[in-house]
Amino acid sequence: MLDVSQVIAQPAHAPAPGSDGSISRHDYRPPAWLVPDTRLVFDLDPAATRIVATLSVTRNGMAGEPLRLDGAGQEPVAVRVDGAAVNDWRIEGEQLVIPLDGDAHVVETEVVVAPERNTQLMGLYASGGILCTQCEAEGFRRITYFPDRPDVLSRYAVRLIADKARYPVLLANGDPVDAGDLDGGRHWAEWNDPFPKPSYLFALVAGDLAVNRGSFTTQSGRTVDLGIWVRSDDIDKTHHALHALKLSMAWDERVYGREYDLDVFNIVAVDDFNFGAMENKGLNIFNSRYILADPDTATDYDYDAIAAVVAHEYFHNWSGNRITCRDWFQLSLKEGFTVYRDQGFSADQGSAAVKRIEDVRGLRAAQFPEDAGPLAHPVRPDSYIEISNFYTATIYNKGAELIRMMATILGPQAFRAATDLYFTRFDGTAATCEDFVACMEEASGRNLSQFRLWYSQAGTPRVAASLSHEAGDGRATLRLAQHVPGTPGQPDKQPMVLPLRIKLFGGETGKPLIDEQLVLLDQASGTIVFEGVTERPVLSINRGFSAPVIIESDRSAAELGFLSAHDDDPFARYEAMQQLMLDTLVAATIEGTPNHAAVVTAVRNTLADSTLDPAFVAEAVLLPSESFIGDQLALVDPEAIFRAREALRRELGVRLADQWREAYEQAPAGPYVYSPAAKGHRRLRNVALGYISASGANDAATIAFRQFEAADNMTDRQGALTTLASSHADEREAALDIFYNRYAGNGLVIDKWFQTQALSSRDDTGQLVAELARHPDFTLANPNRARSLVGAFGANQRAFNAADGSGYRLLADQLIALDKLNPQTAAKLLPPLGRWRRFDAGRSALMRAELERIAATPGLSRDVLEQASKSLG
Ligand code: TRP
Ligand code: ZN
């Protein structure tokens, strides 16, 4: 149950929140006042920062409406209107309400905040010795009084004043204007951002920072000064990020025609950050894990993620900043589109097929479970209690799939015309998802009425597909039926538009029987007839994962094995292999009598196919995760799933022992390089090492330890450590100790040390994690560290779901403790407990008990309260 007294009171005339404190999309009203210009003066100090805000305000609504400014935590020291002190203001809830007679005024407020005591990491806070800000979604109100909503766009001029020795670098949005020294060892800097922006894009940074500078010349010939700002010790780890930034700038010009618009673009890395990074105009602020890299400390995965996040935040300059969101229900307008854009960028840097495989794996790991659980919500939600809880895989990743489907339906030319139209028409405004779809329609002449259901209906559609063949008349018939499962608040669904790429292959010759077709299934069911099919056809469907759906087909193990070897689309080959593995593992889990033969043959064939890219082979031969197997079952038995999966891993390890050794040895020697080819070899080598270890070979730990010691890069070192961390060999302790000592003091690498152990498949992982939570290096104050242990443990299906409930208790204890410091990050640890409906009565009762204990905690944040009460259902 939700305790209404914990929800911040709202003034009577603002849209009334629901009885549970929720905000509704349909209650949107335009702002009563606009703020064309904002001047901010910060007198920075970690203990007491004084902020004077001067807002020029103009009436946008009815006469008599007072000005309402959002605040949180602070109190006004002074309020002035048109230069004169006033005292007829009042505080309603957390809003500062100022009666104003005319239609245009200058309103000045003065407040004092304490960044060093800000553990939420929202608003102005301290990270290490750096002062920085995070304003999305509603952090600006923790800095100063303001209409803190994304449809109030203002031009900002900012003056920063600080101690020069402690904070030699002073950065804010836009372009630098001027700087100078003051008495008492203090100095100042002025920044001006000519582009009107919502308050959530405001940023400042003050600190002792070193810079890696670069420059980029735009397509129209303007020079942009680039800077990556970090602690001076880390400066050698910024080259990859700077390079990725230049590639991103060029890519957005080439692919979307988008040019950068200021004279400077700065990125700052900080260690304490709730999310990955933030797209503040001209001054991106990053979690240092998405900036810092060198071969000794960052894996290939980290390098890829850094480039993807740098691109993502840079792309927001157009999809997010130049065009922002009217309200937070439209969040996917900027996030879904920007993820789609960064996926396209990453696909162009290496293997597009492997990138698609990774993205689909991520979608299935994070978004499908969300869509199937108590926190399911549409890509454009209808209500929320705490907006921070809606930065989800559904908004981001399913949102990106919606854009991808529209791109597929429109084709590349019409899609580009539509994005051009969108960028031109809505530049400088706060737009809606509807505006975006309307541009897709207008530029293409297509009707997307029914497609819009993708924005409003939650849940992953299921598609039953069955192909029959009438050999005599050369006709094949494909029967399709879709079903969208009920989700909280949405019991009944309408059929959606599903773009399905389909092809048929000859079961005897392996040859394509038809050209690939794009089928738009927009009814509950449909039939497609293919003529001239002279050979027994095998169905390849949802190629490239053209629709984010679950396909339920009646294809046999033989047919899936055939496709895994003969489909001409690498993604489809991967999918066939995954489906074959999944069918095998689900059957083994339920029946306990494994039939491994088809998987062994398919994996053997894939390993033997020398035409394949090693990066692809590495992905294709990986078994589906324990959680993904669990997602296929009505009742998750984590032990049975683990046993079934380990048995198949061992079987593959034993039966293909020579092939794994060969794949392992094959990797070319020589020093580390970061290239698609070298990455692929390292990946395959580490996957092979995993299978050598799974086979139970006597020398497995020796090989892993040798790799660990010989490695000249983190990918190989962590790959070996991951294998050893799940073993009982003596080398395990040795490697963990060496790793820890070698990297003591390097927070990002010590995170890996915690995470690797939390993901271990050993029986005693729960105890180990409990011990690690008492390790001197463990702290909840740093979100990366909290996630590396507690977040990773929640993702370890078997360890977390220990039958005695110890895993649930551990997670709940940590979550409750973290909520007192950082509600946003605490709330993100909760979803694994919300899966209780999928487990046996014993586990389910234990999970519910922990959710109830969390919900009953006095002083609980709105963030966690919303997630806990929704999860209890
Ligand atoms: N807009 C950011 C992004 O996707 C997300 C983000 C950064 C965020 N910091 C946040 C979201 C804090 C919520 C709270 O790039
Ligand atoms: Zn984003």
Side-chain angles (χ1 to χ4, degrees):
M1 270 303 294
L2 222 101
D3 180 353
V4 185
S5 68
Q6 300 191 29
V7 171
I8 296 168
Q10 290 276 333
H13 17 277
S19 62
D20 58 358
S22 60
I23 318 278
S24 292
R25 181 166 62 86
H26 293 292
D27 288 340
Y28 174 81
R29 302 280 177 280
W33 288 85
L34 302 178
V35 188
D37 283 287
T38 300
R39 178 168 172 78
L40 300 172
V41 179
F42 287 82
D43 202 337
L44 291 162
D45 182 278
T49 290
R50 183 171 299 269
I51 302 143
V52 177
T54 309
L55 319 181
S56 73
V57 300
T58 58
R59 194 181 290 281
N60 188 48
M62 292 196 306
E65 283 270 330
L67 177 68
R68 297 176 176 279
L69 303 176
D70 299 301
Q74 75 287 72
E75 298 227 317
V77 179
V79 179
R80 283 180 281 272
V81 173
D82 301 325
V86 297
N87 46 27
D88 59 346
W89 53 267
R90 57 187 194 274
I91 298 288
E92 283 180 12
E94 295 221 79
Q95 287 187 325
L96 170 61
V97 183
I98 309 172
L100 293 175
D101 296 335
D103 290 342
H105 296 278
V106 175
V107 172
E108 192 178 298
T109 65
E110 195 174 324
V111 299
V112 178
V113 300
E116 72 185 7
R117 282 189 282 135
N118 181 350
T119 61
Q120 294 186 27
L121 315 182
M122 291 297 289
L124 177 63
Y125 67 95
S127 176
I130 304 169
L131 295 178
C132 65
T133 54
Q134 171 55 40
C135 293
E136 186 176 8
E138 298 181 335
F140 192 70
R141 64 186 63 186
R142 293 168 55 80
I143 298 177
T144 191
Y145 286 102
F146 199 82
D148 193 13
R149 43 187 287 170
D151 57 351
V152 174
L153 275 55
S154 191
R155 232 174 258 105
Y156 287 69
V158 177
R159 185 184 184 87
L160 305 175
I161 306 166
D163 183 82
K164 192 170 182 174
R166 222 169 147 182
Y167 305 107
V169 174
L170 301 174
L171 306 172
N173 310 95
D175 295 314
V177 177
D178 205 358
D181 287 337
L182 295 167
D183 291 346
R186 297 177 75 75
H187 71 147
W188 61 275
E190 286 248 0
W191 289 79
N192 184 44
D193 182 359
F195 292 94
K197 65 169 175 290
S199 52
Y200 82 85
L201 289 174
F202 169 81
L204 74 79
V205 173
D208 187 0
L209 297 164
V211 62
N212 185 0
R213 284 192 197 280
S215 104
F216 180 80
T217 305
T218 69
Q219 60 189 4
S220 70
R222 288 189 316 102
T223 304
V224 183
D225 293 329
L226 314 176
I228 315 268
W229 301 80
V230 296
R231 275 188 312 255
S232 59
D233 293 352
D234 288 329
I235 200 75
D236 293 337
K237 297 182 185 156
T238 54
H239 302 294
H240 177 61
L242 181 60
H243 181 61
L245 175 59
K246 293 176 192 169
L247 291 176
S248 306
M249 296 177 87
W251 189 89
D252 213 15
E253 292 185 348
R254 183 166 60 78
V255 179
Y256 284 89
R258 300 296 110 199
E259 185 174 341
Y260 188 62
D261 50 13
L262 289 163
D263 296 337
V264 301
F265 187 83
N266 286 315
I267 294 179
V268 180
V270 298
D271 292 336
D272 305 281
F273 201 74
N274 282 344
F275 228 72
M278 180 63 212
E279 70 262 26
N280 319 296
K281 183 80 188 189
L283 178 56
N284 287 186
I285 299 180
F286 272 60
N287 186 327
S288 54
R289 68 178 298 213
Y290 292 113
I291 291 294
L292 303 179
D294 66 14
D296 190 48
T297 57
T299 61
D300 292 335
Y301 177 84
D302 294 326
Y303 272 77
D304 290 349
I306 287 167
V309 179
V310 166
H312 179 98
E313 306 309 331
Y314 173 73
F315 295 158
H316 268 315
N317 190 56
W318 274 95
S319 49
N321 302 2
R322 289 288 288 258
I323 304 176
T324 190
C325 300
R326 187 193 71 172
D327 55 65
W328 291 119
F329 298 103
Q330 317 301 327
L331 183 57
S332 196
L333 173 70
K334 74 177 178 81
E335 295 304 347
F337 187 27
T338 304
V339 170
Y340 176 71
R341 280 151 53 68
D342 83 53
Q343 289 176 345
F345 168 79
S346 298
D348 285 352
Q349 308 308 309
S351 162
V354 171
K355 171 64 178 161
R356 188 66 183 140
I357 289 168
E358 290 167 352
D359 288 341
V360 171
R361 182 178 287 142
L363 192 78
R364 286 173 168 155
Q367 201 280 323
F368 279 22
E370 192 167 87
D371 240 353
L375 301 174
H377 53 276
V379 168
R380 184 189 54 216
D382 288 319
S383 83
Y384 61 77
I385 294 176
E386 170 52 60
I387 184 56
S388 298
N389 287 331
F390 283 78
Y391 287 74
T392 59
T394 297
I395 303 292
Y396 277 68
N397 303 82
K398 187 175 182 178
E401 295 300 319
L402 269 53
I403 309 297
R404 184 179 299 273
M405 284 189 283
M406 289 190 278
T408 299
I409 293 169
L410 266 60
Q413 268 144 25
F415 180 70
R416 172 63 197 269
T419 60
D420 283 352
L421 176 64
Y422 170 72
F423 285 125
T424 310
R425 180 170 296 166
F426 293 100
D427 188 12
T429 72
T432 62
C433 298
E434 172 53 32
D435 293 331
F436 188 91
V437 178
C439 287
M440 294 284 133
E441 285 184 316
E442 190 175 323
S444 68
R446 277 188 171 265
N447 181 336
L448 296 171
S449 311
Q450 192 189 351
F451 185 86
R452 284 169 171 79
L453 287 169
W454 276 106
Y455 281 94
S456 58
Q457 288 193 158
T460 308
R462 292 178 165 270
V463 180
S466 149
L467 183 69
S468 60
H469 182 222
E470 300 91 63
D473 40 13
R475 182 177 299 147
T477 307
L478 176 62
R479 292 192 176 75
L480 298 171
Q482 62 164 304
H483 168 69
V484 188
T487 51
Q490 294 188 336
D492 303 307
K493 307 285 167 91
Q494 290 167 252
M496 321 258 269
V497 181
L498 313 182
L500 298 167
R501 290 199 154 115
I502 289 173
K503 197 162 177 174
L504 302 179
F505 292 90
E508 272 77 50
T509 62
K511 298 239 166 60
L513 300 179
I514 58 164
D515 288 340
E516 183 181 274
Q517 296 195 5
L518 179 65
V519 171
L520 294 182
L521 178 67
D522 59 4
Q523 308 285 314
S525 62
T527 301
I528 299 125
V529 177
F530 305 93
E531 304 287 351
V533 179
T534 48
E535 196 180 332
R536 179 180 61 82
V538 181
L539 172 67
S540 174
I541 185 169
N542 206 23
R543 293 155 66 80
F545 212 64
S546 55
V549 302
I550 295 165
I551 300 287
E552 294 163 343
S553 80
D554 52 5
R555 290 172 296 180
S556 66
E559 287 177 312
L560 292 170
F562 169 88
L563 287 172
S564 80
H566 295 286
D567 203 307
D568 55 11
D569 170 36
F571 181 84
R573 285 179 76 164
Y574 161 84
E575 276 288 85
M577 180 80 99
Q578 281 291 296
Q579 193 61 54
L580 174 59
M581 289 169 164
L582 202 55
D583 291 351
T584 303
L585 288 164
V586 165
T589 302
I590 296 171
E591 292 148 24
T593 47
N595 182 356
H596 293 155
V599 174
V600 172
T601 305
V603 171
R604 178 185 284 120
N605 290 340
T606 300
L607 285 171
D609 187 340
S610 59
T611 65
L612 294 172
D613 171 8
F616 170 82
V617 174
E619 298 301 330
V621 302
L622 273 187
L623 294 180
S625 72
E626 289 164 58
S627 337
F628 189 53
I629 301 164
D631 292 342
Q632 319 305 312
L633 299 166
L635 205 62
V636 181
D637 179 342
E639 293 295 333
I641 291 171
F642 177 76
R643 279 195 307 272
R645 190 171 179 277
E646 284 307 297
L648 180 51
R649 259 163 59 76
R650 189 185 176 91
E651 179 88 354
L652 286 166
V654 171
R655 298 280 299 280
L656 305 177
D658 294 345
Q659 286 88 335
W660 297 123
R661 301 242 169 195
E662 199 187 317
Y664 187 77
E665 315 286 276
Q666 241 174 23
Y672 174 91
V673 275
Y674 173 74
S675 68
K679 268 194 315 191
H681 284 296
R682 281 189 289 271
R683 178 98 171 115
L684 182 53
R685 197 169 135 91
N686 277 318
V687 168
L689 177 64
Y691 277 110
I692 292 170
S693 172
S695 75
N698 293 329
D699 57 349
T702 312
I703 298 173
F705 194 71
R706 199 196 307 133
Q707 173 175 326
F708 177 81
E709 292 214 291
D712 70 347
N713 65 83
M714 181 53 85
T715 305
D716 288 343
R717 194 171 291 124
Q718 196 186 358
L721 190 68
T722 298
T723 292
L724 289 170
S726 288
S727 83
H728 288 267
D730 296 339
E731 286 87 347
R732 178 183 189 274
E733 292 307 308
L736 284 167
D737 287 349
I738 293 168
F739 191 93
Y740 177 83
N741 290 322
R742 179 181 171 126
Y743 294 108
N746 183 328
L748 295 176
V749 183
I750 297 301
D751 289 341
K752 297 183 192 299
W753 184 79
F754 279 100
Q755 187 191 26
T756 303
Q757 297 181 72
L759 291 174
S760 163
S761 65
R762 272 171 62 127
D763 295 344
D764 56 357
T765 296
Q767 282 140 262
L768 278 165
V769 169
E771 280 163 37
L772 286 170
R774 294 188 293 269
H775 190 280
D777 286 351
F778 183 70
T779 170
L780 290 170
N782 178 270
N784 289 354
R785 186 59 47 84
R787 285 187 285 254
S788 72
L789 186 66
V790 189
F793 180 61
N796 186 334
Q797 178 164 274
R798 172 161 170 262
F800 173 64
N801 293 294
D804 64 359
S806 53
Y808 308 144
R809 200 175 330 115
L810 191 157
L811 184 125
D813 286 343
Q814 296 295 330
L815 188 156
I816 290 168
L818 180 54
D819 191 46
K820 303 201 179 348
L821 300 172
N822 186 335
Q824 214 178 85
T825 300
K828 281 188 213 150
L829 298 177
L830 192 136
L833 284 173
R835 297 183 71 212
W836 59 269
R837 283 181 187 79
R838 312 291 311 281
F839 287 83
D840 57 274
R843 287 188 174 86
S844 161
L846 291 162
M847 290 165 107
R848 282 191 61 95
E850 294 304 332
L851 284 169
E852 273 156 11
R853 178 162 72 94
I854 292 169
T857 304
L860 198 69
S861 69
R862 243 177 354 156
D863 308 57
V864 171
L865 193 61
E866 175 174 31
Q867 301 303 71
S869 33
K870 286 183 174 170
S871 297
L872 280 162

